[in-house]
């Protein structure tokens, strides 16, 4: 099997799984129980939380454990906007966001919030001048993803945060595709979201990081969990194994980046020899390569590759549309948007796998374009 869909989800790391199983067996108490077993579970969670803080080098943040980046994004946006609606009603975002941001924003629009989309340049990068101009007295929140999940465009988080700081506006960023891949100073972002399953951790586990001084409402009620912002019995093994996944991925972040960058260049050069458009650009993460096919639908190619045991994505696995809104936004070409394929790489990807993908793409393009 050749798995090239690491941006959709990653296979669990053996050590992370081991830590999940060990913690589940060893720490059976509810961390909020007052007896010894409860206190032991609480202690292991506190150690894991401190470790996350240390690895990500963040200070004065609440670490709110959730069921994934989808919930983290919902909590950041709904939890903040509904709590501060008397201060303003404008939310600024981009057309590059994952559905867990864009659909949450659509919900907030129905609640009376005004949504504005910041201009993008031809490479899909936020126009910083336009962003600054849009922020006014009514603006409540800016939410811009760190790396877009389809084409992999990396935004300049530092420069965006300098603008939001200057204007005294809260900046949330969906960093699901960035954490563990590209180094940034997280202290520039007021709230940010991540998902364990994207960094070889367990599925159904995420975090919302929130500057302590920012007040948000919970969206899931029912008492204190590890924080007052999210109810439910704490997921002790999920938390401990997430901390492990973060530690393991950050131990090798530079080495992985260098390796994947080389693979990316190799793949792009091979793709240039095929009859495809390359949608990713110089500002894309090396981990994500997006192409559009000519006269072949994404899904047709996805299944053709599958017959060769090669797994890629069409647009994001979570999208409801039958075309890529992001590719359309950037190219204004519906054919490109209906024929895009995302190849996502990992430190586990080999050159041999890339060669096999290219071989299969080449044969299938010739075969399917004839039909
Ligand atoms: N944001 C981005 C950028 C993503 O790529 C994903 C996963 N596809 C999510 C949010 C949602 O993550 P989860 O499914 O773990 O909730």
């Amino acid at each position: 099997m050749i798995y090239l869909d690491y941006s959709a989800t990653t296979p669990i790391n053996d050590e992370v799984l081991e830590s999940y199983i060990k913690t589940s067996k060893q720490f059976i108490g509810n961390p909020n129980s007052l007896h010894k077993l409860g206190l032991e579970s609480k202690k292991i969670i506190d150690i894991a939380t401190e470790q996350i803080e240390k690895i990500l080098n963040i200070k004065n943040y609440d670490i709110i454990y959730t069921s994934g980046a989808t919930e983290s994004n919902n909590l950041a946006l709904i939890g903040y906007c509904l709590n501060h609606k008397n201060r303003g009603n404008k939310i600024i975002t981009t057309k590059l966001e994952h559905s867990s941001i864009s659909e949450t924003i659509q919900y907030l629009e129905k609640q009376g919030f005004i949504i504005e989309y910041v201009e993008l340049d031809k490479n899909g990068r936020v126009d910083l001048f336009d962003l600054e101009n849009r922020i006014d007295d009514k603006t409540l929140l800016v939410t811009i993803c760190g790396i877009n999940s389809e084409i992999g465009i990396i935004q300049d988080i530092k420069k965006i945060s300098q603008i939001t700081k200057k204007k005294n506006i809260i900046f949330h960023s969906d960093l699901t595709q960035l954490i563990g891949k590209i180094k940034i100073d997280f202290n520039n972002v007021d709230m940010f979201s991540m998902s364990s399953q994207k960094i070889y951790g367990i599925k159904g586990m995420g975090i919302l990081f929130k500057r302590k001084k920012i007040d948000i409402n919970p969206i899931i009620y029912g008492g204190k969990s590890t924080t007052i912002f999210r109810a439910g019995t704490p997921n002790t093994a999920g938390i401990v194994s997430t901390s492990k996944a973060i530690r393991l991925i950050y131990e090798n972040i530079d080495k992985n980046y260098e390796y994947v960058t080389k693979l990316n260049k190799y793949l792009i050069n091979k793709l240039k020899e095929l009859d495809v458009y390359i949608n990713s650009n110089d500002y894309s993460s090396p981990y994500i390569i997006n192409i559009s096919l000519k006269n072949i639908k994404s899904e047709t190619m996805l299944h053709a590759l599958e017959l060769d045991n090669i797994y890629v994505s069409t647009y994001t696995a979570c999208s409801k549309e039958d075309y890529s809104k992001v590719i359309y936004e950037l190219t204004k070409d519906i054919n490109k948007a209906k024929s895009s394929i995302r190849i996502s790489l990992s430190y586990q990807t080999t050159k041999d796998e890339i060669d096999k993908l290219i071989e299969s793409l080449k044969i299938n393009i010739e075969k399917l374009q004839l039909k």
Side-chain angles (χ1 to χ4, degrees), residues 7-9 67-73 96-101 145 147-150 174-178 193-198 202-206 316-318 342:
S7 287
T9 194
S67 61
T70 300
E71 188 189 324
S72 302
N73 287 337
L96 297 176
E97 303 301 313
H98 183 262
S99 49
S100 57
I101 293 281
C145 58
I147 294 184
N148 156 269
S149 58
E150 284 184 62
D174 177 1
L175 298 183
T176 309
Q177 296 289 351
L178 182 144
S193 311
M194 68 156 283
S195 184
S196 305
Q197 51 120 349
K198 307 280 185 191
I202 65 159
K203 304 204 192 324
M205 183 75 209
T316 67
C318 314
R342 179 185 68 183

Side-chain angles (χ1 to χ4, degrees), residues 73-345:
N73 287 337
N74 272 262
L75 176 58
L77 269 49
I78 299 173
Y80 182 77
C81 292
L82 292 188
N83 197 21
H84 297 280
K85 60 175 183 246
N86 49 358
R87 269 203 227 156
N89 65 350
K90 188 159 123 183
I91 302 168
I92 301 177
T93 187
T94 73
K95 291 251 171 95
L96 297 176
E97 303 301 313
H98 183 262
S99 49
S100 57
I101 293 281
S102 56
E103 291 188 20
T104 305
I105 281 181
Q106 280 163 25
Y107 163 76
L108 287 168
E109 203 171 10
K110 285 191 196 129
Q111 307 302 307
F113 290 90
I114 310 277
I115 315 305
E116 280 193 15
Y117 295 92
V118 67
E119 296 282 329
L120 303 171
D121 68 14
K122 65 176 192 338
N123 291 313
R125 301 254 291 179
V126 163
D127 178 335
L128 298 169
F129 187 69
D130 183 60
L131 172 66
E132 184 157 1
N133 278 342
R134 281 179 193 278
I135 300 176
D136 59 19
D137 296 352
K138 291 264 177 247
T139 309
L140 202 51
L141 180 84
V142 170
T143 179
I144 295 174
C145 58
I147 294 184
N148 156 269
S149 58
E150 284 184 62
I151 318 190
I153 314 245
I154 308 170
Q155 299 298 340
D156 193 333
I157 293 298
K158 191 170 174 198
K159 288 211 174 117
I160 294 171
S161 75
Q162 283 166 350
I163 294 171
T164 52
K165 216 173 274 171
K166 188 167 103 186
K167 296 268 186 168
N168 207 13
I169 297 296
I170 298 297
F171 172 36
H172 166 261
S173 187
D174 177 1
L175 298 183
T176 309
Q177 296 289 351
L178 182 144
I179 287 193
K181 298 194 178 102
I182 286 174
K183 280 186 180 164
I184 62 162
D185 182 355
F186 296 107
N187 294 288
N188 287 326
V189 191
D190 298 311
M191 296 193 277
F192 57 99
S193 311
M194 68 156 283
S195 184
S196 305
Q197 51 120 349
K198 307 280 185 191
I199 54 162
Y200 311 88
I202 65 159
K203 304 204 192 324
M205 183 75 209
I207 303 179
L208 174 65
F209 298 86
K210 173 188 83 60
R211 230 185 266 292
K212 278 192 198 296
K213 64 173 191 209
I214 300 172
D215 203 13
I216 60 169
N217 282 339
I219 55 169
I220 294 176
Y221 289 88
K224 185 174 180 281
S225 177
T226 53
T227 67
I228 55 165
F229 306 106
R230 207 273 195 184
T233 302
N235 181 352
T236 310
I239 293 168
V240 171
S241 67
T242 291
S243 165
K244 179 123 195 173
I246 293 176
R247 181 166 69 72
L248 293 176
I249 203 78
Y250 273 89
E251 265 172 15
N252 293 309
I253 188 165
D254 292 330
K255 198 173 92 197
N256 292 347
Y257 185 84
E258 207 178 301
Y259 175 72
V260 171
T261 302
K262 275 192 197 144
L263 266 189
N264 173 294
K265 285 203 179 115
Y266 181 73
L267 171 58
I268 299 255
N269 280 335
K270 295 265 173 191
L271 285 169
K272 281 182 183 160
E273 292 165 14
L274 302 183
D275 197 15
V276 298
Y277 301 104
I278 299 172
N279 296 317
S280 301
N281 59 41
D282 292 346
Y283 295 94
S284 296
S285 158
Y287 287 86
I288 297 176
I289 297 101
N290 191 297
I291 58 171
S292 285
L293 307 161
K294 297 182 186 168
N295 303 319
I296 306 168
K297 281 195 175 161
S298 318
E299 221 178 300
T300 311
M301 182 56 85
L302 181 132
H303 293 304
L305 292 172
E306 193 178 0
L307 290 176
D308 286 341
N309 223 1
I310 299 172
Y311 297 88
V312 296
S313 261
T314 51
Y315 7 93
T316 67
C318 314
S319 174
K320 284 187 201 152
E321 314 296 333
D322 74 339
Y323 68 96
S324 163
K325 280 186 167 176
V326 171
I327 306 288
Y328 185 73
E329 185 55 33
L330 291 179
T331 63
K332 303 287 181 235
D333 182 334
I334 192 71
N335 291 323
K336 282 188 184 166
K338 283 191 170 175
S339 66
S340 74
I341 293 274
R342 179 185 68 183
I343 303 154
S344 45
L345 308 179

